[in-house]
Amino acid sequence: MPFRAIGVVVLALSMWARAAGACPDCESARLVQATVFDHRFWMNLVLIATPLLVLSVMCAWLYRLGIEPTDTGRPEHE
Amino acid sequence: MSERLHRGGLIAPGALLGIGMGGFLDGIVLHQILQWHHMLSSVVAPVDVVAIKYNMVFDGLFHAFTWVITAMGIALLWRAGQRSNVPWSTRTFGGSLALGFGSFNLVEGVIDHHLLRLHHVHPGVNEFGWDVGFLIFGAVLVIGGWALIWRGRADTAPRALPRAPQRVH
């Protein structure tokens, strides 16, 4: 029985979300989709990703470099 | 023969998480709550519903990239906690967070605000001042973060214990 109740709740929520969600086929939605996925889309994506790519490279460098390694004086087990 | 400390094993995840914190703070506070700018608001000015939704898509993609950076930071931090040669230092980790946060401001500020001109921090008559302030804030965090990391060199204790040697039959 609890499973049936959960199913009903999920179904109701999905119907509500469908009704409350952004209109997928209205004029403004079609216009937004056409504007976003025009010939500039991939260029825009690259522009947005560029700073984060630069920062990722910096983190890779930090991982390899760290601060200069020091001697712990402990025996190596591996 | 002795085991060498690998501080980068904690600095890198701290910096990645700091970048994530900086990116999400920018997105949540400046894009959504204050709505000072969006990712491409100097390219397509958010003056009507279509333009705002256009910017929302690219804000979302920016958040998605930031999420990936954050997830990488969590994965590397988990790995660092399991290694016996990574010093588990609060100063190193806190400094790395600040370093990452400040680096986000510096790199994103220089590339997006000044070079590509995709958006400005607070568009208007004083936009240059806001953009420079954003960079100065980032530089202060980078310097402070690096100073903390430097002081954390004194911390050597790892979180994980060295692995016991395996018995050979």
Side-chain angles (χ1 to χ4, degrees), chain B residues 79-125:
Chain B
R79 193 172 165 216
Q82 293 174 319
R83 291 173 55 188
S84 61
N85 65 339
V86 176
W88 199 249
S89 161
T90 302
R91 290 187 287 193
T92 304
F93 184 64
S96 306
L97 280 175
L99 178 73
F101 197 126
S103 301
F104 170 82
N105 275 30
L106 282 178
V107 173
E108 201 265 347
V110 168
I111 293 177
D112 288 349
H113 304 161
H114 296 279
L115 297 178
L116 301 176
R117 295 175 182 275
L118 298 182
H119 60 257
H120 295 284
V121 176
H122 192 27
V125 286

mmCIF file of all heavy atoms in Angstrom, chain B residues 79-125:
data_model
loop_
_atom_site.group_PDB
_atom_site.id
_atom_site.type_symbol
_atom_site.label_atom_id
_atom_site.label_comp_id
_atom_site.label_asym_id
_atom_site.label_seq_id
_atom_site.Cartn_x
_atom_site.Cartn_y
_atom_site.Cartn_z
ATOM 1 N N ARG B 79 40.770 11.524 -1.550
ATOM 2 C CA ARG B 79 41.991 10.765 -1.819
ATOM 3 C C ARG B 79 43.132 11.227 -0.902
ATOM 4 O O ARG B 79 43.889 10.411 -0.379
ATOM 5 C CB ARG B 79 42.362 10.962 -3.285
ATOM 6 C CG ARG B 79 43.404 10.007 -3.778
ATOM 7 C CD ARG B 79 43.575 10.132 -5.274
ATOM 8 N NE ARG B 79 44.814 9.479 -5.681
ATOM 9 C CZ ARG B 79 45.597 9.918 -6.636
ATOM 10 N NH1 ARG B 79 45.284 11.006 -7.305
ATOM 11 N NH2 ARG B 79 46.684 9.275 -6.974
ATOM 12 N N ALA B 80 43.215 12.538 -0.697
ATOM 13 C CA ALA B 80 44.289 13.077 0.152
ATOM 14 C C ALA B 80 44.162 12.568 1.587
ATOM 15 O O ALA B 80 45.162 12.295 2.247
ATOM 16 C CB ALA B 80 44.250 14.603 0.129
ATOM 17 N N GLY B 81 42.904 12.439 2.045
ATOM 18 C CA GLY B 81 42.671 11.975 3.416
ATOM 19 C C GLY B 81 43.086 10.535 3.635
ATOM 20 O O GLY B 81 43.241 10.087 4.774
ATOM 21 N N GLN B 82 43.227 9.780 2.549
ATOM 22 C CA GLN B 82 43.591 8.369 2.666
ATOM 23 C C GLN B 82 45.086 8.128 2.507
ATOM 24 O O GLN B 82 45.529 6.995 2.594
ATOM 25 C CB GLN B 82 42.828 7.559 1.604
ATOM 26 C CG GLN B 82 41.336 7.531 1.841
ATOM 27 C CD GLN B 82 40.603 6.851 0.706
ATOM 28 O OE1 GLN B 82 40.924 7.042 -0.460
ATOM 29 N NE2 GLN B 82 39.612 6.052 1.042
ATOM 30 N N ARG B 83 45.816 9.196 2.202
ATOM 31 C CA ARG B 83 47.250 9.011 1.933
ATOM 32 C C ARG B 83 48.093 9.425 3.137
ATOM 33 O O ARG B 83 47.812 10.436 3.788
ATOM 34 C CB ARG B 83 47.641 9.824 0.694
ATOM 35 C CG ARG B 83 47.027 9.225 -0.570
ATOM 36 C CD ARG B 83 47.253 10.093 -1.744
ATOM 37 N NE ARG B 83 48.667 10.388 -1.933
ATOM 38 C CZ ARG B 83 49.121 11.273 -2.820
ATOM 39 N NH1 ARG B 83 48.280 11.937 -3.577
ATOM 40 N NH2 ARG B 83 50.398 11.483 -2.945
ATOM 41 N N SER B 84 49.113 8.654 3.394
ATOM 42 C CA SER B 84 49.936 8.898 4.590
ATOM 43 C C SER B 84 51.033 9.930 4.336
ATOM 44 O O SER B 84 51.722 10.329 5.274
ATOM 45 C CB SER B 84 50.570 7.589 5.064
ATOM 46 O OG SER B 84 51.400 7.069 4.039
ATOM 47 N N ASN B 85 51.206 10.358 3.087
ATOM 48 C CA ASN B 85 52.268 11.342 2.827
ATOM 49 C C ASN B 85 51.708 12.745 2.563
ATOM 50 O O ASN B 85 52.433 13.630 2.121
ATOM 51 C CB ASN B 85 53.147 10.893 1.653
ATOM 52 C CG ASN B 85 52.377 10.846 0.349
ATOM 53 O OD1 ASN B 85 51.149 10.763 0.366
ATOM 54 N ND2 ASN B 85 53.081 10.896 -0.756
ATOM 55 N N VAL B 86 50.390 12.929 2.790
ATOM 56 C CA VAL B 86 49.791 14.259 2.610
ATOM 57 C C VAL B 86 49.528 14.859 3.992
ATOM 58 O O VAL B 86 48.694 14.347 4.734
ATOM 59 C CB VAL B 86 48.469 14.178 1.812
ATOM 60 C CG1 VAL B 86 47.813 15.549 1.721
ATOM 61 C CG2 VAL B 86 48.721 13.613 0.422
ATOM 62 N N PRO B 87 50.222 15.928 4.362
ATOM 63 C CA PRO B 87 49.991 16.553 5.682
ATOM 64 C C PRO B 87 48.570 17.115 5.776
ATOM 65 O O PRO B 87 48.146 17.853 4.883
ATOM 66 C CB PRO B 87 51.022 17.686 5.721
ATOM 67 C CG PRO B 87 51.989 17.395 4.646
ATOM 68 C CD PRO B 87 51.267 16.625 3.604
ATOM 69 N N TRP B 88 47.874 16.728 6.854
ATOM 70 C CA TRP B 88 46.474 17.145 7.012
ATOM 71 C C TRP B 88 46.465 18.443 7.818
ATOM 72 O O TRP B 88 46.264 18.451 9.013
ATOM 73 C CB TRP B 88 45.688 16.038 7.714
ATOM 74 C CG TRP B 88 44.216 16.122 7.544
ATOM 75 C CD1 TRP B 88 43.299 16.425 8.497
ATOM 76 C CD2 TRP B 88 43.483 15.884 6.348
ATOM 77 N NE1 TRP B 88 42.040 16.409 7.966
ATOM 78 C CE2 TRP B 88 42.109 16.070 6.655
ATOM 79 C CE3 TRP B 88 43.826 15.546 5.040
ATOM 80 C CZ2 TRP B 88 41.103 15.925 5.697
ATOM 81 C CZ3 TRP B 88 42.832 15.397 4.093
ATOM 82 C CH2 TRP B 88 41.488 15.591 4.423
ATOM 83 N N SER B 89 46.691 19.556 7.103
ATOM 84 C CA SER B 89 46.908 20.834 7.768
ATOM 85 C C SER B 89 45.728 21.780 7.517
ATOM 86 O O SER B 89 45.354 22.017 6.364
ATOM 87 C CB SER B 89 48.193 21.461 7.218
ATOM 88 O OG SER B 89 48.231 22.827 7.481
ATOM 89 N N THR B 90 45.168 22.310 8.608
ATOM 90 C CA THR B 90 44.072 23.277 8.486
ATOM 91 C C THR B 90 44.555 24.539 7.781
ATOM 92 O O THR B 90 43.845 25.115 6.949
ATOM 93 C CB THR B 90 43.524 23.635 9.877
ATOM 94 O OG1 THR B 90 43.090 22.433 10.512
ATOM 95 C CG2 THR B 90 42.359 24.601 9.797
ATOM 96 N N ARG B 91 45.802 24.963 8.109
ATOM 97 C CA ARG B 91 46.337 26.179 7.475
ATOM 98 C C ARG B 91 46.526 25.966 5.972
ATOM 99 O O ARG B 91 46.183 26.832 5.158
ATOM 100 C CB ARG B 91 47.658 26.578 8.133
ATOM 101 C CG ARG B 91 47.456 27.091 9.541
ATOM 102 C CD ARG B 91 48.734 27.627 10.121
ATOM 103 N NE ARG B 91 49.671 26.553 10.461
ATOM 104 C CZ ARG B 91 50.751 26.733 11.218
ATOM 105 N NH1 ARG B 91 51.023 27.921 11.706
ATOM 106 N NH2 ARG B 91 51.550 25.731 11.503
ATOM 107 N N THR B 92 47.052 24.816 5.612
ATOM 108 C CA THR B 92 47.247 24.533 4.181
ATOM 109 C C THR B 92 45.908 24.494 3.454
ATOM 110 O O THR B 92 45.757 25.080 2.370
ATOM 111 C CB THR B 92 47.972 23.181 3.992
ATOM 112 O OG1 THR B 92 49.185 23.220 4.716
ATOM 113 C CG2 THR B 92 48.248 22.900 2.543
ATOM 114 N N PHE B 93 44.927 23.809 4.055
ATOM 115 C CA PHE B 93 43.632 23.674 3.388
ATOM 116 C C PHE B 93 42.894 25.017 3.327
ATOM 117 O O PHE B 93 42.371 25.397 2.278
ATOM 118 C CB PHE B 93 42.772 22.623 4.108
ATOM 119 C CG PHE B 93 41.467 22.362 3.430
ATOM 120 C CD1 PHE B 93 41.426 21.814 2.154
ATOM 121 C CD2 PHE B 93 40.270 22.671 4.047
ATOM 122 C CE1 PHE B 93 40.223 21.577 1.507
ATOM 123 C CE2 PHE B 93 39.058 22.444 3.417
ATOM 124 C CZ PHE B 93 39.040 21.895 2.146
ATOM 125 N N GLY B 94 42.884 25.750 4.453
ATOM 126 C CA GLY B 94 42.228 27.064 4.461
ATOM 127 C C GLY B 94 42.890 28.018 3.481
ATOM 128 O O GLY B 94 42.212 28.753 2.745
ATOM 129 N N GLY B 95 44.228 27.998 3.453
ATOM 130 C CA GLY B 95 44.949 28.841 2.506
ATOM 131 C C GLY B 95 44.647 28.469 1.068
ATOM 132 O O GLY B 95 44.503 29.332 0.205
ATOM 133 N N SER B 96 44.521 27.166 0.818
ATOM 134 C CA SER B 96 44.216 26.712 -0.541
ATOM 135 C C SER B 96 42.817 27.137 -0.965
ATOM 136 O O SER B 96 42.592 27.491 -2.129
ATOM 137 C CB SER B 96 44.340 25.192 -0.621
ATOM 138 O OG SER B 96 45.585 24.775 -0.163
ATOM 139 N N LEU B 97 41.876 27.088 -0.018
ATOM 140 C CA LEU B 97 40.517 27.564 -0.325
ATOM 141 C C LEU B 97 40.556 29.033 -0.741
ATOM 142 O O LEU B 97 39.958 29.434 -1.746
ATOM 143 C CB LEU B 97 39.605 27.406 0.892
ATOM 144 C CG LEU B 97 39.000 26.035 1.189
ATOM 145 C CD1 LEU B 97 38.229 26.100 2.498
ATOM 146 C CD2 LEU B 97 38.075 25.574 0.079
ATOM 147 N N ALA B 98 41.269 29.850 0.055
ATOM 148 C CA ALA B 98 41.376 31.282 -0.254
ATOM 149 C C ALA B 98 42.114 31.501 -1.575
ATOM 150 O O ALA B 98 41.723 32.348 -2.389
ATOM 151 C CB ALA B 98 42.098 32.010 0.879
ATOM 152 N N LEU B 99 43.157 30.707 -1.796
ATOM 153 C CA LEU B 99 43.914 30.807 -3.050
ATOM 154 C C LEU B 99 43.012 30.511 -4.253
ATOM 155 O O LEU B 99 43.042 31.234 -5.259
ATOM 156 C CB LEU B 99 45.090 29.831 -3.021
ATOM 157 C CG LEU B 99 45.957 29.765 -4.265
ATOM 158 C CD1 LEU B 99 46.824 31.012 -4.390
ATOM 159 C CD2 LEU B 99 46.855 28.524 -4.239
ATOM 160 N N GLY B 100 42.209 29.458 -4.139
ATOM 161 C CA GLY B 100 41.303 29.100 -5.243
ATOM 162 C C GLY B 100 40.238 30.159 -5.469
ATOM 163 O O GLY B 100 39.958 30.550 -6.613
ATOM 164 N N PHE B 101 39.652 30.640 -4.365
ATOM 165 C CA PHE B 101 38.607 31.661 -4.457
ATOM 166 C C PHE B 101 39.165 32.920 -5.123
ATOM 167 O O PHE B 101 38.569 33.476 -6.065
ATOM 168 C CB PHE B 101 38.097 31.976 -3.044
ATOM 169 C CG PHE B 101 36.773 32.687 -2.987
ATOM 170 C CD1 PHE B 101 35.732 32.169 -2.235
ATOM 171 C CD2 PHE B 101 36.564 33.873 -3.668
ATOM 172 C CE1 PHE B 101 34.501 32.830 -2.169
ATOM 173 C CE2 PHE B 101 35.348 34.544 -3.611
ATOM 174 C CZ PHE B 101 34.322 34.003 -2.854
ATOM 175 N N GLY B 102 40.331 33.353 -4.645
ATOM 176 C CA GLY B 102 40.934 34.564 -5.202
ATOM 177 C C GLY B 102 41.357 34.378 -6.646
ATOM 178 O O GLY B 102 41.204 35.288 -7.468
ATOM 179 N N SER B 103 41.875 33.182 -6.966
ATOM 180 C CA SER B 103 42.278 32.905 -8.344
ATOM 181 C C SER B 103 41.072 32.955 -9.270
ATOM 182 O O SER B 103 41.172 33.420 -10.414
ATOM 183 C CB SER B 103 42.928 31.529 -8.448
ATOM 184 O OG SER B 103 44.039 31.467 -7.621
ATOM 185 N N PHE B 104 39.933 32.451 -8.785
ATOM 186 C CA PHE B 104 38.719 32.536 -9.608
ATOM 187 C C PHE B 104 38.426 33.991 -9.943
ATOM 188 O O PHE B 104 38.178 34.342 -11.096
ATOM 189 C CB PHE B 104 37.519 31.905 -8.882
ATOM 190 C CG PHE B 104 36.218 32.185 -9.577
ATOM 191 C CD1 PHE B 104 35.812 31.416 -10.652
ATOM 192 C CD2 PHE B 104 35.426 33.259 -9.192
ATOM 193 C CE1 PHE B 104 34.644 31.708 -11.333
ATOM 194 C CE2 PHE B 104 34.251 33.552 -9.858
ATOM 195 C CZ PHE B 104 33.856 32.771 -10.928
ATOM 196 N N ASN B 105 38.445 34.853 -8.919
ATOM 197 C CA ASN B 105 38.164 36.280 -9.161
ATOM 198 C C ASN B 105 39.157 36.889 -10.155
ATOM 199 O O ASN B 105 38.766 37.628 -11.061
ATOM 200 C CB ASN B 105 38.233 37.054 -7.848
ATOM 201 C CG ASN B 105 36.927 37.004 -7.080
ATOM 202 O OD1 ASN B 105 36.191 36.030 -7.186
ATOM 203 N ND2 ASN B 105 36.640 38.030 -6.301
ATOM 204 N N LEU B 106 40.438 36.558 -9.978
ATOM 205 C CA LEU B 106 41.472 37.142 -10.837
ATOM 206 C C LEU B 106 41.327 36.657 -12.281
ATOM 207 O O LEU B 106 41.289 37.461 -13.221
ATOM 208 C CB LEU B 106 42.864 36.785 -10.309
ATOM 209 C CG LEU B 106 43.375 37.583 -9.116
ATOM 210 C CD1 LEU B 106 44.744 37.079 -8.699
ATOM 211 C CD2 LEU B 106 43.458 39.067 -9.447
ATOM 212 N N VAL B 107 41.245 35.336 -12.453
ATOM 213 C CA VAL B 107 41.220 34.773 -13.815
ATOM 214 C C VAL B 107 39.903 35.115 -14.508
ATOM 215 O O VAL B 107 39.892 35.576 -15.657
ATOM 216 C CB VAL B 107 41.453 33.239 -13.760
ATOM 217 C CG1 VAL B 107 41.272 32.612 -15.123
ATOM 218 C CG2 VAL B 107 42.850 32.951 -13.228
ATOM 219 N N GLU B 108 38.788 34.892 -13.809
ATOM 220 C CA GLU B 108 37.492 35.196 -14.411
ATOM 221 C C GLU B 108 37.370 36.694 -14.666
ATOM 222 O O GLU B 108 36.838 37.112 -15.701
ATOM 223 C CB GLU B 108 36.370 34.699 -13.479
ATOM 224 C CG GLU B 108 35.041 34.493 -14.153
ATOM 225 C CD GLU B 108 34.112 35.691 -14.027
ATOM 226 O OE1 GLU B 108 34.381 36.600 -13.221
ATOM 227 O OE2 GLU B 108 33.117 35.724 -14.748
ATOM 228 N N GLY B 109 37.883 37.478 -13.733
ATOM 229 C CA GLY B 109 37.798 38.934 -13.893
ATOM 230 C C GLY B 109 38.594 39.426 -15.088
ATOM 231 O O GLY B 109 38.088 40.196 -15.906
ATOM 232 N N VAL B 110 39.831 38.957 -15.193
ATOM 233 C CA VAL B 110 40.677 39.413 -16.313
ATOM 234 C C VAL B 110 40.092 38.943 -17.649
ATOM 235 O O VAL B 110 39.951 39.720 -18.599
ATOM 236 C CB VAL B 110 42.131 38.899 -16.135
ATOM 237 C CG1 VAL B 110 42.933 39.101 -17.405
ATOM 238 C CG2 VAL B 110 42.804 39.618 -14.981
ATOM 239 N N ILE B 111 39.738 37.631 -17.733
ATOM 240 C CA ILE B 111 39.293 37.075 -19.025
ATOM 241 C C ILE B 111 37.901 37.589 -19.397
ATOM 242 O O ILE B 111 37.703 38.121 -20.499
ATOM 243 C CB ILE B 111 39.311 35.527 -18.981
ATOM 244 C CG1 ILE B 111 40.766 35.038 -18.862
ATOM 245 C CG2 ILE B 111 38.666 34.939 -20.228
ATOM 246 C CD1 ILE B 111 40.919 33.537 -18.742
ATOM 247 N N ASP B 112 36.919 37.415 -18.483
ATOM 248 C CA ASP B 112 35.527 37.728 -18.851
ATOM 249 C C ASP B 112 35.215 39.222 -18.815
ATOM 250 O O ASP B 112 34.458 39.721 -19.651
ATOM 251 C CB ASP B 112 34.555 36.985 -17.925
ATOM 252 C CG ASP B 112 34.516 35.494 -18.222
ATOM 253 O OD1 ASP B 112 35.078 35.090 -19.260
ATOM 254 O OD2 ASP B 112 33.941 34.753 -17.414
ATOM 255 N N HIS B 113 35.788 39.930 -17.821
ATOM 256 C CA HIS B 113 35.432 41.351 -17.681
ATOM 257 C C HIS B 113 36.282 42.249 -18.583
ATOM 258 O O HIS B 113 35.781 43.223 -19.133
ATOM 259 C CB HIS B 113 35.599 41.828 -16.229
ATOM 260 C CG HIS B 113 34.820 41.004 -15.246
ATOM 261 N ND1 HIS B 113 35.098 41.000 -13.893
ATOM 262 C CD2 HIS B 113 33.790 40.147 -15.408
ATOM 263 C CE1 HIS B 113 34.266 40.187 -13.277
ATOM 264 N NE2 HIS B 113 33.470 39.638 -14.168
ATOM 265 N N HIS B 114 37.584 41.938 -18.701
ATOM 266 C CA HIS B 114 38.492 42.868 -19.382
ATOM 267 C C HIS B 114 38.879 42.427 -20.788
ATOM 268 O O HIS B 114 38.930 43.245 -21.692
ATOM 269 C CB HIS B 114 39.744 43.085 -18.524
ATOM 270 C CG HIS B 114 39.442 43.744 -17.221
ATOM 271 N ND1 HIS B 114 39.261 45.106 -17.086
ATOM 272 C CD2 HIS B 114 39.243 43.235 -15.984
ATOM 273 C CE1 HIS B 114 38.981 45.403 -15.825
ATOM 274 N NE2 HIS B 114 38.959 44.281 -15.136
ATOM 275 N N LEU B 115 39.165 41.134 -20.989
ATOM 276 C CA LEU B 115 39.616 40.685 -22.309
ATOM 277 C C LEU B 115 38.429 40.397 -23.233
ATOM 278 O O LEU B 115 38.341 40.953 -24.335
ATOM 279 C CB LEU B 115 40.509 39.444 -22.181
ATOM 280 C CG LEU B 115 41.820 39.633 -21.415
ATOM 281 C CD1 LEU B 115 42.591 38.320 -21.323
ATOM 282 C CD2 LEU B 115 42.691 40.695 -22.100
ATOM 283 N N LEU B 116 37.532 39.506 -22.798
ATOM 284 C CA LEU B 116 36.403 39.116 -23.657
ATOM 285 C C LEU B 116 35.213 40.060 -23.525
ATOM 286 O O LEU B 116 34.365 40.091 -24.420
ATOM 287 C CB LEU B 116 35.967 37.675 -23.319
ATOM 288 C CG LEU B 116 37.033 36.589 -23.475
ATOM 289 C CD1 LEU B 116 36.484 35.235 -23.013
ATOM 290 C CD2 LEU B 116 37.487 36.493 -24.927
ATOM 291 N N ARG B 117 35.142 40.774 -22.423
ATOM 292 C CA ARG B 117 34.039 41.694 -22.145
ATOM 293 C C ARG B 117 32.668 41.010 -22.278
ATOM 294 O O ARG B 117 31.762 41.537 -22.941
ATOM 295 C CB ARG B 117 34.116 42.916 -23.073
ATOM 296 C CG ARG B 117 35.356 43.755 -22.829
ATOM 297 C CD ARG B 117 35.457 44.882 -23.837
ATOM 298 N NE ARG B 117 36.667 45.654 -23.637
ATOM 299 C CZ ARG B 117 36.810 46.661 -22.790
ATOM 300 N NH1 ARG B 117 35.780 47.008 -22.040
ATOM 301 N NH2 ARG B 117 37.945 47.299 -22.683
ATOM 302 N N LEU B 118 32.547 39.839 -21.654
ATOM 303 C CA LEU B 118 31.270 39.122 -21.689
ATOM 304 C C LEU B 118 30.257 39.769 -20.746
ATOM 305 O O LEU B 118 29.056 39.767 -21.001
ATOM 306 C CB LEU B 118 31.468 37.658 -21.280
ATOM 307 C CG LEU B 118 32.384 36.806 -22.156
ATOM 308 C CD1 LEU B 118 32.437 35.378 -21.638
ATOM 309 C CD2 LEU B 118 31.917 36.821 -23.599
ATOM 310 N N HIS B 119 30.745 40.292 -19.637
ATOM 311 C CA HIS B 119 29.885 41.008 -18.693
ATOM 312 C C HIS B 119 30.770 41.849 -17.776
ATOM 313 O O HIS B 119 32.007 41.708 -17.806
ATOM 314 C CB HIS B 119 29.046 40.021 -17.853
ATOM 315 C CG HIS B 119 29.846 39.055 -17.037
ATOM 316 N ND1 HIS B 119 30.035 37.739 -17.398
ATOM 317 C CD2 HIS B 119 30.534 39.205 -15.877
ATOM 318 C CE1 HIS B 119 30.794 37.137 -16.504
ATOM 319 N NE2 HIS B 119 31.108 37.995 -15.563
ATOM 320 N N HIS B 120 30.150 42.729 -17.021
ATOM 321 C CA HIS B 120 30.857 43.492 -15.991
ATOM 322 C C HIS B 120 30.208 43.191 -14.642
ATOM 323 O O HIS B 120 29.045 42.781 -14.593
ATOM 324 C CB HIS B 120 30.797 44.992 -16.287
ATOM 325 C CG HIS B 120 31.519 45.352 -17.551
ATOM 326 N ND1 HIS B 120 32.886 45.411 -17.647
ATOM 327 C CD2 HIS B 120 31.049 45.630 -18.795
ATOM 328 C CE1 HIS B 120 33.242 45.739 -18.874
ATOM 329 N NE2 HIS B 120 32.148 45.874 -19.596
ATOM 330 N N VAL B 121 30.967 43.390 -13.557
ATOM 331 C CA VAL B 121 30.440 43.069 -12.223
ATOM 332 C C VAL B 121 29.149 43.836 -11.959
ATOM 333 O O VAL B 121 28.115 43.254 -11.619
ATOM 334 C CB VAL B 121 31.484 43.396 -11.126
ATOM 335 C CG1 VAL B 121 30.899 43.150 -9.738
ATOM 336 C CG2 VAL B 121 32.739 42.552 -11.319
ATOM 337 N N HIS B 122 29.187 45.125 -12.158
ATOM 338 C CA HIS B 122 28.010 45.969 -11.916
ATOM 339 C C HIS B 122 27.955 47.009 -13.042
ATOM 340 O O HIS B 122 28.520 48.106 -12.907
ATOM 341 C CB HIS B 122 28.139 46.640 -10.549
ATOM 342 C CG HIS B 122 26.875 47.294 -10.064
ATOM 343 N ND1 HIS B 122 25.622 46.880 -10.446
ATOM 344 C CD2 HIS B 122 26.676 48.321 -9.214
ATOM 345 C CE1 HIS B 122 24.713 47.631 -9.859
ATOM 346 N NE2 HIS B 122 25.325 48.523 -9.109
ATOM 347 N N PRO B 123 27.299 46.661 -14.144
ATOM 348 C CA PRO B 123 27.293 47.562 -15.312
ATOM 349 C C PRO B 123 26.724 48.938 -14.962
ATOM 350 O O PRO B 123 25.804 49.063 -14.156
ATOM 351 C CB PRO B 123 26.387 46.849 -16.312
ATOM 352 C CG PRO B 123 26.286 45.446 -15.836
ATOM 353 C CD PRO B 123 26.475 45.472 -14.363
ATOM 354 N N GLY B 124 27.297 49.940 -15.570
ATOM 355 C CA GLY B 124 26.846 51.307 -15.305
ATOM 356 C C GLY B 124 28.011 52.265 -15.394
ATOM 357 O O GLY B 124 29.070 51.916 -15.927
ATOM 358 N N VAL B 125 27.834 53.449 -14.834
ATOM 359 C CA VAL B 125 28.874 54.475 -14.953
ATOM 360 C C VAL B 125 30.170 54.088 -14.240
ATOM 361 O O VAL B 125 31.251 54.489 -14.650
ATOM 362 C CB VAL B 125 28.379 55.838 -14.412
ATOM 363 C CG1 VAL B 125 27.402 56.464 -15.376
ATOM 364 C CG2 VAL B 125 27.765 55.684 -13.029
#
